Amino acid sequence: MAAQQGTPSSALRVLEEALGTGLSAAGDTAEAVAAEGAYYLEQVTITEASEDDYEYEEIPDDNYSIPEGEEDLAKAVQMVQEQATDTQILEQKTVFSPKHTVPEAIEDFLCNFLIKMGMTRTLDCFQSEWYELIQKGVTELRDGGIVPDVYTQNMLLENENKILKKDLKHYKQAADKAREDLLKTQKERDFHRMHHKRIVQEKNKLINDLKRLKLHYASYEPAIRVLHEKHHALLKQKMLTSLERDRAIGQISGLKETLKHMEIRHSYHAPEFRVVPTYEKENAPEGPTQKGLREAREQSKCKAKTKVNTKDSEFPTHMQPNPNLGLGKENLCPAKFDYKLNNIFRLHELPVSCIIMHPHKDLLVSCGEDRVWKMVGLPKGNVLLTGLGHTDWLSNCCFHPSERCRYTLYGHTDSVNSIEFFPYSNTLLTGSADKSLSIWDARTGKCEQSLYGHMHSINDATFTPRGHIIASCDACGVTKLWDFRKLLPMVSIDVGPSPGNEVTFDSSGRVLAQASGNGVIHLLDLKSGQIHKLLGHESEAHTVIFSPDGETLFSGGSDGTVRTWS
């Protein structure tokens, strides 16, 4: 009998397949041994069927039967050959031997175990006794046996387990360190985020402060300029006074020389001059010299007065009563917003810059960038007059000019885009590209007040017929309404981003029209706040005006046309 170490593998399974279930008892025994650990495979001799009392099952012959109706000899032979080939393949099944490993000897296993456990004294005792037995011949080294595979595998698994535990410990430490780094990074992130928010808040605060300072600084510039102009005016007045004083001294010297010659010629003593009070001068008799001086002085004054009054009209001392003050009553007719495009007058070859209406007649005058102004009759639009001769484009016109320059107003820091009189007064309103409105006294030429609030260039500004509200529009389509009595802004309407080129009120003062850069005429109802749109211009709308009765509206565009809405 030969003993071999292994598993109940393919050889035993082949025998069981070949012999049926005859070895089931032996298989049960092998499984029990395998469950306990190592086992041995015994060689068994199988006797003939006649000598064995075991009853074998009869294998049915169905595989070799030929179906009815197919008793073809060739097919039957082929089927038998295929069955024989399958049987040979099953008998020649390859059995692979398990991987051969040399287990560790028992004495080496024990020594290694004691070394790993650190049991040095026990190791010394074991080695001394073991080798004494070998020298005495009590046992031989080869009879010591070898360590079963299961122990070797356990040791390997223990070693791997230790290594894995050590790796796990390192990984845990790395994970803890990574967690700490993550928390530190999150705290730094939160700190920097909070710092960034604080910086943004400080930046916004500084920006607001800068804007406020710019507005404050802008309010100082006009005042400084006005003071500078006043200073120049005072210097000029001082110089004129000095010239008049020198002239008076020269006249006195000339009179003295005249008196001296008269004394020599007539040989008589000149009367003594003495300073007398005013009432004595009025009652004292005039001499020929004083009379001549007085007459010459009166003639020069009359000439100067005649020269001044030749063309210039005097400004009224007090404000005249405004007949439009009664327009604010509630018994007025309702405002009109349903304007429709009625007619188109093509008057200019270049954009229309201004249109005005005669206050009492059906006449309209338009100015263009083609250096021409035209007067047309309404409602047909026939051209009555054409004005030629200008060398540059026309910006504005009016029916009643003052004929020459009376004053030059200084105060704006950029171009002046609009100017208008307060109704029936000596007050002027100007709008400038420096984003400010200025109110002037036309009698003195001085700026009395400046209004700030627009963020872009102001294109136009106007009064209501009653004069209590100012409307202004800028280059970004923002229209502002101002209370002229308090000089404070009332409301702001943004119909941009197209620029607002001109604003005007109707005769009732309730409807405000704005000519926009996108060709739309906006009509604002000041009572309800609603905005109505008039669409009809194919290009930019430059100017807009109402008729005196408010029934018709006229607008001029960059295509050189004047459009009638009624």
Side-chain angles (χ1 to χ4, degrees), residues 250-260 289 293:
Q251 290 177 357
I252 292 173
S253 300
L255 289 174
K256 287 182 178 180
E257 292 294 332
T258 304
L259 291 175
K260 187 181 295 185
T289 306
L293 288 174

Side-chain angles (χ1 to χ4, degrees), residues 2 34 72 125 129 142-143 154 208 220 248 378 432 460 482 499 530:
D72 189 13
C125 295
E129 291 183 4
R142 61 179 179 272
D143 295 335
N154 287 338
N208 293 330
Y220 277 123
L378 298 176
S432 172
D460 191 40
W482 309 76
Q530 295 182 353

